[in-house]
Amino acid sequence: MSSELNIFFTGATGYIGGTVLTRLLQHPDAASFQITALVRSAEKGEKLKTLGVDFILGSYTDENLGFLTEAASKADVVIAVTDSDNLPPASAILAGMKIKYEKSGKAPVLIHTSGSAIIMDDARGLHGDLAVVSDLEVDKLNALPVQALHRNVDIPIIEADKAGYVKAYLITPGTVFGVPSGPLVDLGIQHKSSMQLPYLIGPAIARKQGGYIGKGLSKWSAVHVEEAADLYRIIFDIIRSNPDAAGHGPEGYYFVENNTEYSGIEAARAISEALVDLGVGTSPEPSPFSQEELDTFYGNLWPLLATNSLVKADRGRALGWSPKQGKAEFLASVKPEVEALIAKGGN
């Protein structure tokens, strides 16, 4: 790639995205990066400019997504860390990357964020028996149907890689936890709450007790947000010099986990204990959600919160990624999330 690397970044102020962007801003070669971020408000954009990041205004939900195509057509690297189930913006980005390829003769890089829900089951909290899936199980992963969560976007990205006009790397985390830090947090523009835990914490605050679905036995792999960002950075560094040095396209899924798994009832117990410590809860022990509660709090989406998704990040570890924070850190991360959600009014 040229001495100046043009990077287009979506999801830059999100929970994971802001942490990944921080890695780029703190990179030894940051002076050679020309980063343009997609933001939904000019206020956030102006704050990003103080960090040396340009911005364009827009959203994945805009009716006209031509701005995504235009921005991607100028980028050597696109890093997408938002809305992994929304196909139109992903298609618009791929269209721009194809233009870039046709002009330059060199395939640009797409680092796309998927999620380990691609392999989840429908346990409804009744068991935790799903086999662990490695990201080296290429045939199994590429055989997943388009109906599997995230695959409606993943498949076209992989096909674009196979067509040769993109080098695509799909970062695929399980549950991501922890409180992020860095300049975007300091500026007050990065989302600091995790994505999955608040779905359990909000109803727990309302019922004053942690809740679980079914028997609370379903399990997910987990990783700390800072260590997840480390993997993005490692892959970014490797592929800058040689995009083929790391698996891509059909061999481009990178699970993100830290050798820990947690069950629904463990998360619910940690929430219950936090509520009691904060003077809100009635019992340190959780209880099962009634069907009426599930319908009230989650509607028909409740089965998604009681699935199994157990993965192994063999590809990342082969590249030198070595996460350290495990179950103890996951459980300890629950109380700050509960406290923050109570401060925001419980939802």
Side-chain angles (χ1 to χ4, degrees):
M1 295 180 181
S2 63
S3 56
E4 182 177 81
L5 192 70
N6 290 304
I7 301 170
F8 178 46
F9 204 118
T10 70
T13 61
Y15 176 64
I16 299 175
T19 313
V20 176
L21 180 56
T22 294
R23 294 294 186 276
L24 298 183
L25 295 173
Q26 296 173 344
H27 197 286
D29 298 332
S32 68
F33 301 160
Q34 180 62 47
I35 304 174
T36 300
L38 175 68
V39 294
R40 286 179 285 191
S41 77
E43 180 184 3
K44 283 188 175 183
E46 292 299 330
K47 288 184 177 182
L48 282 175
K49 287 187 79 169
T50 68
L51 301 175
V53 177
D54 290 333
F55 72 92
I56 60 172
L57 283 175
S59 167
Y60 269 27
T61 58
D62 286 355
E63 185 175 351
N64 185 342
L65 297 171
F67 63 91
L68 290 175
T69 299
E70 181 179 358
S73 73
K74 301 173 183 177
D76 302 301
V77 177
V78 174
I79 301 177
V81 200
T82 186
D83 207 348
S84 55
D85 300 302
N86 198 337
L87 181 57
S91 298
I93 288 171
L94 289 174
M97 299 184 81
K98 189 173 185 179
I99 293 169
K100 173 72 172 179
Y101 168 72
E102 290 170 345
K103 288 183 176 179
S104 68
K106 186 172 184 178
V109 164
L110 172 59
I111 301 176
H112 172 78
T113 307
S114 181
S116 75
I118 58 172
I119 59 100
M120 72 182 182
D121 62 8
D122 187 27
R124 305 192 176 209
L126 299 177
H127 68 83
D129 298 332
L130 187 70
V132 178
V133 178
S134 165
D135 50 17
L136 295 176
E137 296 182 64
V138 174
D139 291 342
K140 177 180 289 189
L141 294 175
N142 283 283
L144 292 170
V146 69
Q147 293 83 7
L149 205 61
H150 312 316
R151 284 283 285 170
N152 66 310
V153 172
D154 292 355
I155 290 174
I157 289 172
I158 291 169
E159 290 300 315
D161 183 290
K162 289 163 67 175
Y165 63 87
V166 170
K167 300 285 189 182
Y169 310 80
L170 291 86
I171 315 299
T172 310
T175 294
V176 184
F177 67 88
V179 179
S181 62
L184 279 80
V185 172
D186 296 339
L187 287 172
I189 59 175
Q190 181 176 347
H191 190 68
K192 295 189 292 183
S193 296
S194 68
M195 289 167 285
Q196 286 170 286
L197 282 175
Y199 284 106
L200 299 175
I201 294 171
I205 293 171
R207 71 202 294 269
K208 303 184 185 302
Q209 185 179 24
Y212 55 88
I213 298 172
K215 297 179 180 179
L217 298 178
S218 55
K219 298 177 182 178
W220 269 64
S221 300
V223 68
H224 194 282
V225 64
E226 298 287 350
E227 294 185 322
D230 289 340
L231 180 57
Y232 282 83
R233 159 72 189 274
I234 287 170
I235 292 172
F236 172 78
D237 280 342
I238 289 172
I239 62 184
R240 281 170 63 208
S241 57
N242 181 7
D244 292 319
H248 57 86
E251 298 184 356
Y253 274 114
Y254 290 82
F255 286 135
V256 195
E257 51 74 30
N258 62 356
N259 281 325
T260 209
E261 60 187 42
Y262 71 94
S263 67
I265 198 168
E266 287 175 319
R269 182 174 293 112
I271 293 168
S272 267
E273 291 171 350
L275 288 173
V276 170
D277 288 347
L278 295 167
V280 174
T282 57
S283 170
E285 284 298 317
S287 65
F289 285 115
S290 68
Q291 187 60 53
E292 181 180 0
E293 287 179 313
L294 292 176
D295 294 339
T296 298
F297 292 128
Y298 305 117
N300 60 7
L301 296 179
W302 68 264
L304 297 178
L305 298 172
T307 59
N308 290 297
S309 180
L310 300 174
V311 297
K312 194 70 174 171
D314 290 320
R315 287 189 183 277
R317 288 185 173 86
L319 297 176
W321 182 62
S322 182
K324 306 297 184 187
Q325 301 196 56
K327 183 177 283 190
E329 289 81 5
F330 168 76
L331 294 174
S333 78
V334 171
K335 186 176 180 179
E337 293 249 28
V338 174
E339 196 164 13
L341 205 56
I342 290 173
K344 288 184 354 184
N347 50 48

